[in-house]
Every structure is written in structure tokens, then in C-alpha cells.
Amino acid sequence: MEYVKSKIRDILDFPQKGIVFKDLTTAFKDPQALKKIGDELLQLYRDKGITKVVGIESRGFIAGSVLAYGLNAGFVPVRKPGKLPADTISMSYDKEYGKDTIEIHSDAITEDDIVVIHDDVLATGGTMAAAYNLVKSMNPKKIYVNFIVELEMLGGRAILPAEAEVTSLITY
Ligand code: AMP
């Protein structure tokens, strides 16, 4: 993972002043780093019986799709409001400034599914906590949670439900 870490770029003051944005596009565009991320995710989840990978818009779609393909699982997008074409269920959550909402197709997950929800970066955890609650409301057998990068200082892990098995490939 040191190689992948060396390919992640820090962007200061993006998208607003004071934020150090972990830009993973520089890792995704590097063939060896992308392969390493995919291999590592597969290693973590290959024996868990995963049937669906849920990716959070939009950076969770990239490695989430790689993982779904490798596991012979399906891929399900969680998106911002108004983007999904069929019936959806939605969840609102508090952000630093104001509220945000995410959606999933209401027929995307069944009670027979074993799910891993994936996003690129765990920051404050609000987005993943909302995605977890969305998926949980559809009663799958089990939900795992995964990130490529975890920003430990922001304490996002603490607001995720205790029963969520959270893994991150890289921590800062
Ligand atoms: P969160 O604060 O955990 O709800 O993060 C919200 C979304 O923004 C997640 O999809 C993260 O991937 C992304 N994000 C938040 N902070 C950062 C950061 N410092 N670098 C890169 N992505 C971030």
C-alpha cells in the first residue's frame, strides 16, 4: 500500500479553504496503483459471500466497480438526489454547513444480499452513515463498509454503527 500512498496527491484548500483534499485520481490513473487497490480489496472481501457492492457517488464508483467485477458481484450506485431514474429511497444527513441527501433505487438490494458499501475517503463519516442506513433499511443479511483512505483525525469511524465492519486500505 506504500506504493498506492505515494500516488495519492494532496490538494490544499479544495473544495474550500482549510481542507486538505486527498486526490485519488493520481492513484487511479497509475496502472500499478489501480491494480494494487483492486487486488487488496479482493483479498479483503473474496471469502465473505458478497453479492452486491454499493458505491457512493462519484468517487466510490471507480474501485467499487473493480471490486464488484472481481467478486462476480453486482454493482449498485448511491447517488445525489434526482439522478436515479426509477423509484428511490432517500436519506438526509447533516453536513458541516447545512444538509445533504443521497438516494438508492428501492429495488437495488434484497434480503438475500450480502453487501459491501464502498467510498474512496472516510472523512467525517456523515455520507457513509447515511448510506449505511439506506442499505440497512432494505434488510440485507450483512453489511460491510470499506474505504481506500481513512482520515483518522476526523473521527468518522466513531459515527458509523457499531455493527458495521469497517476496513480502510490506507490511514492518515
Ligand atoms: P464525509 O465527511 O465522510 O461525509 O465525506 C463526504 C464525502 O467527501 C466523501 O465521499 C469523501 O470521499 C469526500 N471527502 C471528504 N473530505 C475529503 C478529503 N479531505 N479528501 C478527499 N475526499 C474527501
Side-chain angles (χ1 to χ4, degrees):
M1 277 297 117
E2 280 309 308
Y3 181 76
V4 175
K5 205 168 181 176
S6 75
K7 295 294 171 188
I8 295 172
R9 168 166 69 180
D10 283 356
I11 307 286
L12 297 183
D13 299 326
F14 181 89
Q16 59 195 65
K17 215 166 171 45
I19 305 277
V20 181
F21 191 86
K22 295 291 176 193
D23 176 18
L24 271 75
T25 64
T26 39
F28 292 143
K29 78 171 180 183
D30 182 283
Q32 264 175 277
L34 181 61
K35 176 112 178 62
K36 185 83 191 133
I37 291 167
D39 288 350
E40 202 73 22
L41 290 176
L42 266 179
Q43 195 62 29
L44 274 171
Y45 293 105
R46 69 161 34 105
D47 299 324
K48 305 268 197 268
I50 304 290
T51 55
K52 300 257 172 68
V53 178
V54 173
I56 301 181
E57 180 169 2
S58 58
R59 292 179 297 270
F61 291 174
I62 300 162
S65 300
V66 171
L67 177 59
Y69 180 80
L71 292 173
N72 288 312
F75 179 83
V76 171
V78 161
R79 298 207 63 182
K80 298 183 177 126
K83 303 282 188 186
L84 290 169
D87 280 349
T88 58
I89 52 173
S90 55
M91 191 72 61
S92 293
Y93 59 100
D94 290 321
K95 298 247 291 187
E96 207 174 345
Y97 306 106
K99 274 190 177 302
D100 224 333
T101 301
I102 51 173
E103 296 185 339
I104 192 168
H105 272 144
S106 46
D107 60 358
I109 305 287
T110 72
E111 295 186 358
D112 295 326
D113 280 321
I114 299 175
V115 178
V116 54
I117 315 175
H118 168 84
D119 202 359
D120 68 335
V121 176
L122 171 60
T124 65
T127 310
M128 183 57 84
Y132 187 92
N133 288 332
L134 266 187
V135 172
K136 181 87 180 160
S137 74
M138 301 165 115
N139 287 316
K141 282 188 187 151
K142 170 92 187 156
I143 307 170
Y144 296 91
V145 169
N146 171 265
F147 304 91
I148 300 172
V149 167
E150 175 172 354
L151 304 175
E152 268 182 340
M153 262 177 44
L154 298 178
R157 193 177 272 258
I159 75 149
L160 295 174
E163 77 268 18
E165 277 189 44
V166 181
T167 54
S168 315
L169 305 188
I170 294 165
T171 52
Y172 288 92

